[in-house]
């Protein structure tokens, strides 16, 4: 009887050790993954939901125009994003990347050509698609990531989420994103 209890106890201890080791994770790897995510993110105000897809529950939206702008330029462009809410629904989505002259990345033929060659998409394709998707789905969590424009899609979703949160509160002051880009 004592041997049975001893074997049972040792087995439980071994199983517990294996279970804890499997669930524990390597802290060094977690830190490295975290720092690489932070290094690739150009927007300080973003939360970590860009790497882990999270569902957003949308509350009642108050009618109005809601704006968001990045303060700094990244590769010569910064995000400007406006949504319009009417009768509690998003009726306009105007996400864009503009240069210092206020010209859209959509209109930069050379940029679009180079990106198309490398990523098989370009701002002239994905920017209108992201705006359309927000109008159709009304929830940034439901928008699929556009292959070749992952970073832009993630930024769009995060910024749309911030604008929707402002619309839930009826807060129409411009959201400024300090993206602290180093060029």
């Amino acid at each position: 009887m004592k041997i049975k209890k001893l074997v049972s106890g040792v087995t439980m201890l071994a199983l517990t050790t294996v279970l804890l080791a499997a669930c524990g994770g390597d802290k060094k790897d977690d830190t490295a993954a975290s720092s690489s995510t932070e290094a690739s993110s150009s927007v300080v105000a973003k939360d970590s939901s860009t790497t882990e897809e999270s569902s957003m529950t949308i509350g009642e939206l108050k009618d109005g125009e809601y704006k968001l702008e990045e303060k700094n330029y990244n590769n010569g462009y910064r995000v400007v994003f406006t949504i319009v809410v009417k009768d509690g629904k998003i009726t306009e989505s105007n996400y864009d990347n503009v240069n210092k002259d206020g010209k859209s990345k959509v209109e930069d033929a050379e940029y679009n050509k180079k990106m198309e060659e490398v990523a098989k998409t370009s701002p002239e394709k994905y920017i209108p698609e992201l705006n359309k998707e927000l109008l159709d789905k009304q929830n940034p969590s439901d928008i699929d990531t556009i292959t070749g424009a992952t970073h832009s899609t993630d930024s769009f979703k995060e910024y749309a989420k911030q604008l929707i949160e402002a619309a839930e509160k009826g807060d129409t002051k411009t959201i400024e994103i300090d993206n602290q880009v180093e060029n």
Side-chain angles (χ1 to χ4, degrees):
M1 186 74 170
K2 278 188 171 185
I3 291 178
K4 208 176 198 184
K5 283 185 177 180
L6 180 63
V7 170
S8 181
V10 169
T11 302
M12 286 301 282
L13 181 62
L15 287 173
T16 303
T17 303
V18 169
L19 181 63
L20 289 173
C23 294
D26 186 354
K27 191 69 176 168
K28 181 179 175 188
D29 289 345
D30 291 344
T31 303
S34 174
S35 65
S36 70
T37 298
E38 290 170 5
S40 68
S41 176
S42 63
V43 180
V44 173
K46 280 189 186 180
D47 66 20
S48 62
S49 69
T50 57
T51 56
E52 296 175 11
E53 195 60 38
S54 61
S55 181
M56 178 180 189
T57 303
I58 308 281
E60 184 178 331
L61 303 181
K62 295 178 176 49
D63 291 357
E65 184 174 276
Y66 302 91
K67 297 178 184 181
L68 178 146
E69 295 183 359
E70 287 181 339
K71 290 182 178 182
N72 304 295
Y73 292 87
N74 182 9
N75 296 322
Y77 290 91
R78 68 184 181 96
V79 171
V80 293
F81 194 175
T82 303
I83 64 169
V84 175
V85 174
K86 186 173 182 183
D87 299 326
K89 291 189 73 156
I90 302 167
T91 58
E92 290 181 40
S93 175
N94 300 301
Y95 169 85
D96 204 352
N97 291 269
V98 296
N99 64 18
K100 291 180 181 182
D101 296 327
K103 292 188 179 175
S104 172
K105 195 185 269 189
V106 171
E107 299 167 1
D108 186 336
E110 184 178 337
Y111 186 97
N112 280 282
K113 182 181 176 190
K114 286 180 182 178
M115 186 171 177
E116 183 71 38
E117 289 171 0
V118 174
K120 308 297 183 233
T121 192
S122 63
E124 67 185 347
K125 291 180 180 177
Y126 70 77
I127 287 177
E129 180 64 22
L130 290 170
N131 284 313
K132 181 183 179 308
E133 287 289 305
L134 184 59
L135 293 178
D136 291 346
K137 297 184 177 176
Q138 296 286 307
N139 188 333
S141 298
D142 296 339
I143 296 172
D144 294 328
T145 298
I146 296 174
T147 303
T150 303
H151 178 74
S152 294
T153 303
D154 290 345
S155 292
F156 177 88
K157 290 167 134 180
E158 176 58 31
Y159 292 164
K161 187 169 135 183
Q162 290 183 43
L163 288 167
I164 288 169
E165 288 170 356
E168 289 173 331
K169 297 174 193 169
D171 184 358
T172 58
K173 75 174 190 267
T174 300
I175 300 168
E176 292 186 332
I177 305 296
D178 187 1
N179 51 333
Q180 298 178 342
V181 176
E182 294 179 24
N183 280 345

